[in-house]
Amino acid sequence: MFRYFKTLSLQRKSWVIFAFSAIALEAAALYFQHGMGLKPCVMCIYERLALFAIVFSGLLGIIAPRTALIRWLALLLGVFGAIKGLLLAIKHTDYQLNPAPWNQCSPFVDFPETLPLNQWLPAIFEAGGDCSQITWSFLSLTMPQWLIIIFAFYTLLLILVIFSQFIPIQKRKRGLFH
């Protein structure tokens, strides 16, 4: 199994599929925001940022998947984004399931002054919703609960791929007719 994941991590098409899956989720988030009129909350913006880390991880892996340094940077960036997103989605779910005056998120995003993403790209990074309000659900799961599943999948997948990096790949022996 680990050899399979190692082989996948060396192929550019695997990184393309990985990046495309995260881009599709970002596109879905933007559709919910601009197409359906759902205002993202602060936690939604932070979760979106964690998903962008996964997108950039995939794009980095596309550059040179056979170069160990680039592959490792892509894997580490991806697992960081996946774990951070998972933790944010769990906290966001807590805000929704246990609303209280002492258990709520800030009304404003908190980006560094040197990187004010909400001012540079307000259509993507400006928050206007309430973290504890449930505005959408599918199959009785809210959006942050779906994000828990998504980020847990990315985390598990990336951890398996990271462990697979320590398995040597056997070179195929060339036969007489191969």
Side-chain angles (χ1 to χ4, degrees):
M1 176 175 83
F2 284 118
R3 280 193 178 86
Y4 174 73
F5 282 115
K6 172 95 179 243
T7 304
L8 283 179
S9 73
L10 297 171
Q11 297 174 0
R12 185 169 277 124
K13 68 180 175 182
S14 301
W15 288 100
V16 168
I17 292 168
F18 181 72
F20 181 75
S21 71
I23 290 169
L25 290 169
E26 290 289 357
L30 291 173
Y31 172 74
F32 283 125
Q33 179 180 354
H34 298 291
M36 294 177 62
L38 301 176
K39 292 184 179 182
C41 67
V42 171
M43 294 300 284
C44 295
I45 297 300
Y46 294 155
E47 291 157 353
R48 186 177 289 180
L49 208 53
L51 197 53
F52 270 120
I54 295 171
V55 169
F56 291 130
S57 163
L59 295 176
L60 186 60
I62 290 170
I63 293 172
R66 294 202 172 269
T67 304
L69 177 64
I70 291 178
R71 189 173 62 249
W72 272 103
L73 287 173
L75 288 170
L76 293 176
L77 177 61
V79 81
F80 171 77
I83 291 172
K84 188 68 175 171
L86 179 61
L87 296 173
L88 287 166
I90 289 169
K91 187 152 185 73
H92 191 177
T93 300
D94 181 51
Y95 288 150
Q96 287 186 341
L97 297 179
N98 303 307
W102 58 85
N103 191 27
Q104 53 185 309
C105 65
S106 167
F108 307 106
V109 289
D110 187 24
F111 291 121
E113 288 183 26
T114 56
L115 193 65
L117 293 175
N118 58 324
Q119 294 172 7
W120 293 349
L121 298 167
I124 297 173
F125 294 112
E126 188 60 46
D130 180 12
C131 292
S132 62
Q133 186 179 16
I134 298 173
T135 57
W136 180 89
S137 67
F138 178 68
L139 298 176
S140 74
L141 294 175
T142 65
M143 200 170 299
Q145 290 171 329
W146 278 108
L147 285 174
I148 289 172
I149 294 168
I150 290 165
F151 283 123
F153 174 76
Y154 277 130
T155 301
L156 178 64
L157 176 69
L158 287 164
I159 287 173
L160 286 172
V161 173
I162 286 173
F163 282 135
S164 76
Q165 299 306 300
F166 299 105
I167 304 295
I169 291 192
Q170 297 171 342
K171 303 246 182 196
R172 286 190 195 180
K173 294 180 182 175
R174 294 197 66 149
L176 183 60
F177 299 108
H178 291 270

